[in-house]
Amino acid sequence: MTEFFQFEADFVESLRCIPMQVRCKLDTCGIKLKLLDWNHMTQLERQNLVELPCSTESEIQAYREYIQELILQRTGTPASELPIESHPAWMDVKTVPTSVNEKAQEISIVITTEQWASLTPLQRFALIKLSRSGHENKNFVPALKEFNLFNKS
């Protein structure tokens, strides 16, 4: 899957930032990747991280091993590990996470359960990431618009 969002368009071609699809794969395989580490990689290595599958247990393990080896080669230090959620919020079609609701309410938007369920897992992942406190949230509204959730009158 190589799905890029419109709100990522300013860096997709150069891959100077970590795209949402790679961030989702990192969370799936339990690796915390710093932007500095990402920037130590070649363009081809970054593209590989975009294109490599990370869905099945064997793919997740292979992705994890690949990125660990890559970071170790590039920085001399293993990548930090994260706990892997057995039921990640972006896979739950029945519950809009509190962080997403609160961020949407700041701009008078209500995301219904039906709207949330109609999103792809990657779209839900993006909204969760873009709504976290301490995260640069400038792409939250562009994401809402791109996902047809910006229903202000």
Side-chain angles (χ1 to χ4, degrees), residues 15 38-47 70 74:
L15 289 175
W38 175 258
N39 289 325
H40 279 104
M41 294 178 202
T42 66
Q43 183 76 12
L44 180 61
E45 290 165 340
R46 293 179 202 170
Q47 191 62 43
L70 192 57
R74 293 281 170 234

Side-chain angles (χ1 to χ4, degrees), residues 12-147:
V12 163
E13 197 166 315
S14 67
L15 289 175
R16 67 177 165 77
C17 293
I18 305 169
M20 282 292 170
Q21 63 182 298
V22 172
R23 292 176 65 187
C24 187
K25 292 174 184 181
L26 292 169
D27 279 18
T28 299
C29 76
I31 297 292
K32 179 168 178 59
L33 184 65
K34 299 177 199 143
L35 184 57
L36 184 61
D37 294 340
W38 175 258
N39 289 325
H40 279 104
M41 294 178 202
T42 66
Q43 183 76 12
L44 180 61
E45 290 165 340
R46 293 179 202 170
Q47 191 62 43
N48 284 341
L49 290 173
V50 167
E51 293 174 2
L52 284 172
C54 189
S55 297
T56 67
E57 285 300 317
S58 60
E59 290 171 351
I60 292 167
Q61 186 60 35
Y63 196 91
R64 180 184 179 83
E65 290 169 7
Y66 176 76
I67 197 160
Q68 277 292 20
E69 182 60 32
L70 192 57
I71 296 304
L72 192 56
Q73 287 175 3
R74 293 281 170 234
T75 68
T77 309
S80 301
E81 296 186 5
L82 299 168
I84 298 173
E85 295 180 47
S86 56
H87 302 289
W90 63 89
M91 296 304 287
D92 181 355
V93 297
K94 296 181 181 184
T95 309
V96 182
T98 303
S99 65
V100 174
N101 267 330
E102 289 174 352
K103 191 72 182 163
Q105 287 171 1
E106 288 175 16
I107 54 171
S108 303
I109 297 289
V110 174
I111 300 173
T112 66
T113 307
E114 293 77 20
Q115 288 172 312
W116 182 253
S118 73
L119 298 173
T120 67
L122 187 57
Q123 289 172 325
R124 290 190 295 267
F125 175 85
L127 289 176
I128 291 167
K129 289 298 180 185
L130 294 171
S131 67
R132 289 188 344 205
S133 63
H135 183 277
E136 184 184 347
N137 307 101
K138 71 179 177 111
N139 284 325
F140 186 76
V141 170
L144 289 177
K145 289 178 180 175
E146 184 173 341
F147 305 159

